[in-house]
Amino acid sequence: GAITGRPTGEEGVQTFARGHGVRESYLSARGCFVAGDLSQVELRTGAIFSRDTKLGHIYRTNGDVHTYTCRDIIGEPTKENRNRAKPVNFSLVYGGGAEMLRVIALTQYNVRFTSAEAAGYRAAWFHNYPGIGNWHVENIREALSTGGIRSKLGQWFPLGKVYSKDRGIQQEAYRHAHNYQNQGAGNILGLICLREAAKLDWDAPVLYYHDAVYNQNHPNDADEFAYQWRKNCHQAMDEFWPPEDRENIPLILDVKKQR
């Protein structure tokens, strides 16, 4: 797992491509899975922590952040361009540079950016969502003055490498200052969803990976479990982190039944 507590791994089920029979080889002992994914949780927490006006408005009005970014930065919001917006959003909220954006787009999204495109998209993105950039500056200042970062939910993460004389190591520590806050918050929310699944059925949860929880269920009970679990998770997240304390940005668990 990551230092933030977030469960990670090199070969989790989410990392396998569809259509090659690998995902399909995972079978539930009860007949089906009910999977829940915290929708865009790291972008949502980034919007909360940064108080970026535009990003907050998108989520408060249930807008599609990828479509907004596509239209404002990339071009016509076609399906292809929307897919190009995804790595831009998910990479830059952590303060990645242009080259990191280009690599992540290719390796994780199979999207190709030239170096010039990546640099242009990065500059335009921070111009479009200036609150994120301001928040990043605040994080770096805190890390340099205290040797670590404290998340808005009270977690403390040491960042001794911010004092490194190696510019590359220092820049990585700066990214961790943003990353730890988003991932730390996401992990707490994921654990809440895991707990709520276990409260409904102790034997249901079988995997918690990144921002998703997988439960094994009997087919006849899966729809009711999915409905009640989603409802309970939203209530529990609101009790833990009241909407008025998070800029009234909704936290969403997307739930679906799988074979």
Side-chain angles (χ1 to χ4, degrees):
I3 190 174
T4 56
R6 183 193 197 192
T8 60
E10 296 299 320
E11 295 184 354
V13 67
Q14 288 179 318
T15 65
F16 293 131
R18 298 182 184 275
H20 299 286
V22 180
R23 288 192 178 196
E24 293 76 7
S25 68
Y26 285 80
L27 301 175
S28 168
R30 291 179 167 186
C32 73
F33 290 109
V34 172
D37 179 77
L38 286 163
S39 173
Q40 299 176 4
V41 65
E42 290 153 10
L43 282 169
R44 292 176 188 269
T45 56
I48 294 166
F49 295 152
S50 71
R51 297 185 177 181
D52 182 82
T53 302
K54 189 166 190 175
L55 203 53
H57 172 76
I58 292 170
Y59 282 119
R60 279 190 292 271
T61 57
N62 296 314
D64 178 13
V65 67
H66 300 316
T67 297
Y68 271 83
T69 296
C70 175
R71 185 190 62 200
D72 294 344
I73 296 173
I74 297 174
E76 284 295 315
T78 62
K79 182 178 180 180
E80 179 182 355
N81 280 342
R82 184 180 181 278
N83 288 337
R84 291 170 68 84
K86 289 181 180 180
V88 175
N89 284 326
F90 286 123
S91 172
L92 297 182
V93 72
Y94 291 126
E99 179 60 17
M100 178 175 288
L101 168 59
R102 192 187 66 79
V103 171
I104 287 176
L106 180 61
T107 59
Q108 297 186 22
Y109 295 88
N110 197 29
V111 170
R112 295 182 181 275
F113 293 149
T114 66
S115 295
E117 284 177 327
Y121 291 156
R122 184 183 188 279
W125 193 86
F126 280 105
H127 179 77
N128 207 42
Y129 305 117
I132 297 289
N134 294 336
W135 172 57
H136 286 175
V137 171
E138 293 172 6
N139 290 340
I140 292 169
R141 286 175 177 166
E142 179 182 344
L144 287 171
S145 65
T146 65
I149 195 80
R150 184 172 299 281
S151 80
K152 300 297 190 292
L153 297 179
Q155 301 151 294
W156 168 256
F157 302 108
L159 286 166
K161 291 183 179 180
V162 294
Y163 303 122
S164 174
K165 294 182 180 180
D166 184 308
R167 183 63 173 167
I169 292 175
Q170 186 183 52
Q171 288 292 323
E172 183 180 14
Y174 290 166
R175 289 193 296 273
H176 287 328
H178 324 314
N179 182 9
Y180 289 168
Q181 294 202 57
N182 279 343
Q183 281 196 7
N187 178 59
I188 290 175
L189 298 173
L191 289 173
I192 288 173
C193 294
L194 181 66
R195 180 196 68 190
E196 293 304 314
K199 285 167 66 174
L200 282 175
D201 182 346
W202 179 259
D203 293 324
V206 292
L207 178 65
Y208 170 33
Y209 185 80
H210 280 194
D211 306 318
V213 176
Y214 291 81
N215 302 281
Q216 57 178 357
N217 303 86
H218 296 291
N220 292 340
D221 302 329
D223 288 335
E224 176 60 25
F225 178 92
Y227 169 80
Q228 195 61 49
W229 180 42
R230 186 178 188 274
K231 178 181 177 182
N232 292 356
C233 287
H234 286 176
Q235 180 177 343
M237 288 190 290
D238 284 348
E239 290 175 355
F240 171 76
W241 198 359
E244 60 269 24
D245 293 343
R246 58 173 202 258
E247 304 295 307
N248 290 305
I249 291 174
L251 300 171
I252 305 295
L253 183 71
D254 288 331
V255 177
K256 59 184 178 181
K257 184 168 68 174
Q258 301 174 345
R259 180 181 65 82

